């Protein structure tokens, strides 16, 4: 599937960047629609470029798919970064965590991101490196970003977390993971159930990590 491992430098300039973004956008649509077996010729046609142009930017389908995953995850991380930036506006830790959870669930349940995640899962046996790329640019970065949110709240005395890694997994487990589980069988959670999971998840998290009064 890889074409040439001795790749020359990628094209540069405004036109090249437009072509690159058109290729990634077309690839995302084709991957979601047809799966990983979609043809590079089809992607090139959808992007309005030649197949040679596609390979000038991406030496293989795996590399192109990794970039699609990365850009999709970047959108989700930008949302979480905005949430972190607005934490200073509230002194209510429950509101801060609820806002964080809603942003994460919204990002995680975006239909195209869910489709890409499920596609990675289905292709792990054939292409384990796709899973590694997804982990690094997706869940790994999300976990780090959530840890930064918690770090901000700890610095303000609104949370007391002894094990940040465990706390991040707990929060994901309480709020986001149910959506990922049901999406793996093509289902979704009702909005009212989502709201209750977030509210109860935040309360459960705070019961463990809210600072205890001294004395």
């Amino acid at each position: 599937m890889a074409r040439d491992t001795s790749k020359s430098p990628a094209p540069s300039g405004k036109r090249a960047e437009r072509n690159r973004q058109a290729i990634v956008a077309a690839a995302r649509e084709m991957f979601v629609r047809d799966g990983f077996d979609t043809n590079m010729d089809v992607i090139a046609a959808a992007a309005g470029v030649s197949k040679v142009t596609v390979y000038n930017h991406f030496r293989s389908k795996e590399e192109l798919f990794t970039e699609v995953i990365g850009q999709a995850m970047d959108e989700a991380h930008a949302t979480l970064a905005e949430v972190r930036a607005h934490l200073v506006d509230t002194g209510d830790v429950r509101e801060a965590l609820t806002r964080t959870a809603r942003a994460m669930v919204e990002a995680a349940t975006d239909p195209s991101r869910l489709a890409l995640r499920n596609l990675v899962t289905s292709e792990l046996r054939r292409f384990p490196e796709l899973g590694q790329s997804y982990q690094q640019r997706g869940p790994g970065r999300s976990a780090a970003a959530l840890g930064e949110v918690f770090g901000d709240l700890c610095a303000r005395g609104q949370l007391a977390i002894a094990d940040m890694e465990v706390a991040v997994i707990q929060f994901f487990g309480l709020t986001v993971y149910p959506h990922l589980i049901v999406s793996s069988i093509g289902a979704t959670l009702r909005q009212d159930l989502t709201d209750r999971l977030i509210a109860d998840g935040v309360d459960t998290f705070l019961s463990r990590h809210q600072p205890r009064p001294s004395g």
Side-chain angles (χ1 to χ4, degrees):
M1 193 166 299
R3 220 188 181 202
D4 181 7
T5 57
S6 58
K7 182 185 175 185
S8 58
S12 59
K14 292 183 178 180
R15 179 179 179 183
E17 183 59 24
R18 285 196 301 269
N19 284 341
R20 181 182 177 86
Q21 293 308 316
I23 293 166
V24 173
R28 181 170 177 171
E29 182 179 348
M30 295 301 104
F31 283 134
V32 169
R33 190 189 74 180
D34 300 330
F36 194 71
D37 287 329
T38 190
N39 193 282
M40 292 289 263
D41 290 310
V42 174
I43 292 173
V49 301
S50 70
K51 189 175 180 179
V52 171
T53 299
V54 174
Y55 278 113
N56 283 340
H57 286 275
F58 303 98
R59 79 186 98 185
S60 67
K61 191 192 297 186
E62 291 93 333
E63 185 176 296
L64 174 55
F65 185 74
T66 297
E67 182 60 24
V68 169
I69 289 292
Q71 290 200 15
M73 295 301 102
D74 287 345
E75 296 164 7
H77 298 142
T79 301
L80 197 53
E82 291 174 7
V83 169
R84 185 187 179 197
H86 285 97
L87 287 181
V88 70
D89 297 334
T90 178
D92 187 335
V93 66
R94 181 174 278 99
E95 179 186 345
L97 292 178
T98 299
R99 183 185 296 178
T100 301
R102 289 193 183 283
M104 292 193 327
V105 169
E106 183 177 347
T109 55
D110 174 81
S112 68
R113 290 193 199 104
L114 277 176
L116 290 171
R117 175 186 174 274
N118 292 338
L119 180 55
V120 170
T121 302
S122 69
E123 296 292 346
L124 281 179
R125 181 171 297 180
R126 285 202 298 170
F127 306 108
E129 65 276 9
L130 294 181
Q132 296 168 6
S133 296
Y134 179 78
Q135 173 61 29
Q136 291 170 356
R137 297 195 65 171
R141 284 186 62 198
S142 295
L146 183 58
E148 291 173 352
V149 170
F150 290 165
D152 291 343
L153 294 172
C154 287
R156 292 163 56 176
Q158 293 177 297
L159 290 178
I161 297 176
D163 190 328
M164 188 65 74
E165 187 174 19
V166 168
V168 166
I169 294 173
Q170 288 172 338
F171 197 77
F172 274 116
L174 290 166
T175 59
V176 178
Y177 288 168
H179 295 276
L180 302 184
I181 292 170
V182 299
S183 74
S184 66
I185 57 173
T188 58
L189 296 179
R190 304 187 315 273
Q191 185 60 52
D192 66 300
L193 181 54
T194 296
D195 293 340
R196 281 152 45 208
L197 278 170
I198 289 175
D200 191 69
V202 168
D203 285 343
T204 300
F205 188 83
L206 283 174
S207 71
R208 174 68 180 84
H209 297 292
Q210 203 160 24
R212 300 289 186 267
S214 58

